[in-house]
Amino acid sequence: MALIVQKYGGTSVGSVERIQAVAQRVYKTVKAGNSLVVVVSAMGKTTDGLVKLAKEISRNPNRREMDMLLSTGEQVTIALLTMALQELGQPAISMTGAQVGIVTEAEHSRARILHIETTRLTRNINEGKVVVVAGFQGTSSAKEMEITTLGRGGSDTSAVAIAAVLRASFCEIYTDVPGILTTDPRLVPEAQLMDAITCDEMLELASLGAKVLHPRAVEIARNYGVPLVVRSSWTDAPGTWVTSAKPQGRSLINLEIARPVDNVEFDTDQAKVALLRVPDKPGVAAKLFGEISRQKIDVDLIIQSINEGNSNDIAFTVRTPILKRAEAVAAAIAPALRSQSNPKLDEAEVMVEHNIAKVSIAGAGMIGRPGVAAKMFATLAAVGVNIQMISTSEVKVSCVVDAAECDRAVAALRTAFEIKAGEEGKRGQGRIIEETPPVRGVALDLNQARLAIRQLPDRPGMAAKLFGLLAQHNISVDMIIQSQRCRVIDGVPRRDIAFTVSQLDGESAKEMLTQVAAEFGWGEVVLDSAIAKVSIVGAGMLGQPGVAAKMFEALAQQQINIQMIATSEIKISCVVAQEQGVKALQAIHTAFGLAGSEKFVVPA
Ligand code: ASP
Ligand code: MG
């Protein structure tokens, strides 16, 4: 007999008929010999309706009262579903978050779960009842008993957290789509349903998967090793399993980690190869990395910052033992990359650096939290470590620093982010799934804008200042890329830095950064809102040469120019012109063999 947690989303409980259908499914699962806790969302668009009501009364409603209001939606569903189960002769009891004892931070509208009492849940389960729990809600400390909510879409998080504390066999998330698809089916009808995906991949695909599964739920599943499956509540199809490595015996207190970073990683065995002044036109990255992949050279980070004039710099890191080969390829290809139109001005040049180290912070908690990257940069600045390269992904920020400074950097970061040595590291890299394809999914983000700051003084602390400022203004930054090219102006070595923000923040960020330009000593701030970010994600690309080359080649074939490149171990992102975004997505999706023969029909 298994203990299962099932979660039903809004559309799955959107009407009396749907609630009765859910009751039938629950009843069948119990009859098959299982114990069940069921977590539900508010019916249909109830939460949206409640938000609208509040906005009609107040332009800026009090957050405590918002939680009081929004938490009522789920309370309706738990009572109705429990009645439906009782009608079927199935003993059941409904419980609010407070009744269960879901204790959260006292942060209204975005509370994180601290711990969950299991006594009442377990007692009722042992009495043979199905416990129906209101998702998305909890209370602050037992003394205050303030009703809190976890943030929109938070019922997934409630369900996975309950599965974690009960050590349930697995958690099923029922929704109105059949599972997780290789890309957005509205843009690419050939998108296919995945059988499985690792939690790490899912987190990196946040911009694709967040609507299907709350990233915080994925984080809990990963940290506690909760097997998770996303399925349609309309069919019996198996859905998509979201897998994770074996749990590490983490404490169930402070369940949703209060800290945004849960790992500091480093690699001192790295070397950097940079190609300076290659032409800014389609096909250049494809040519370079195509050759590198033919030589079976495995590259780690790849970075291309924004162009300067009509040329780009592309840099990549490799493990030291293969540096010689990588350098030879780059040197051989450099002449061929020189711009035909202006061969003299655009001398491509190869630059190699041996003694570098890569230092990274990782953690799902940094999604949507401005200030985490800034804190990393400030920490490095405080111990006088200069950052040579920055590359970011959804759940990771990596900095390339001087190898001699690595220990100091790591020690400072561990202190700053409260990571005990030995606590981090060895996370299963998707070994749970037998065959891990190099690319699991492809995501397109059309809602970002790019800002570039020209001629930022190249000294410790500048990135910290810049991103600290953005964080103070509550502006979340996504991709951050620092240019390779360094030029001396007024006796100060300077580099450009480019990053992406939400389009909504573009104008105000530009204005704010322009205002302080003189004070901080940087140059022009350039905004481009017409960009698209296309990313491939897959744990199987680790240690497999040629994945980046294939992506760049797919773009080159469509004559799409790559404006920026950033990578993490399991993700490669390119910025391209906005109007080419969908074409880029389709080309890449097809290039990796993800397109199916059947078209996916998007539910109305
Ligand atoms: N009802 C809440 C919302 O619509 C929570 C949830 O459904 O996950 O955001
Ligand atoms: Mg949802």
Side-chain angles (χ1 to χ4, degrees), residues 201 435-442 535-548 550 568-572 591-594:
E201 291 170 323
E435 258 171 55
T436 312
V439 175
R440 185 86 67 180
V442 189
S535 312
I536 57 175
V537 172
M541 72 174 69
L542 256 166
Q544 177 152 328
V547 178
K550 199 169 188 173
S568 77
E569 278 85 352
I570 62 168
K571 178 176 193 174
I572 304 172
F592 284 99
L594 297 174

Side-chain angles (χ1 to χ4, degrees), residues 180-184 194 196-215 218 240 242 367 393-395 438-445 533-539 541 568 570-573 585 589 594:
I180 298 152
L181 299 170
T182 50
T183 193
D184 184 343
M194 299 177 193
I197 181 171
T198 67
C199 285
D200 287 319
E201 291 170 323
M202 190 68 199
L203 287 167
E204 288 283 17
L205 277 172
S207 59
L208 173 68
K211 275 188 221 86
V212 189
L213 202 52
H214 210 223
V218 182
T240 304
V242 184
I367 296 177
S393 78
E394 222 85 42
V395 291
V439 175
R440 185 86 67 180
V442 189
L444 176 69
D445 190 340
K533 185 181 92 176
V534 50
S535 312
I536 57 175
V537 172
M541 72 174 69
S568 77
I570 62 168
K571 178 176 193 174
I572 304 172
S573 298
L585 177 71
H589 189 261
L594 297 174

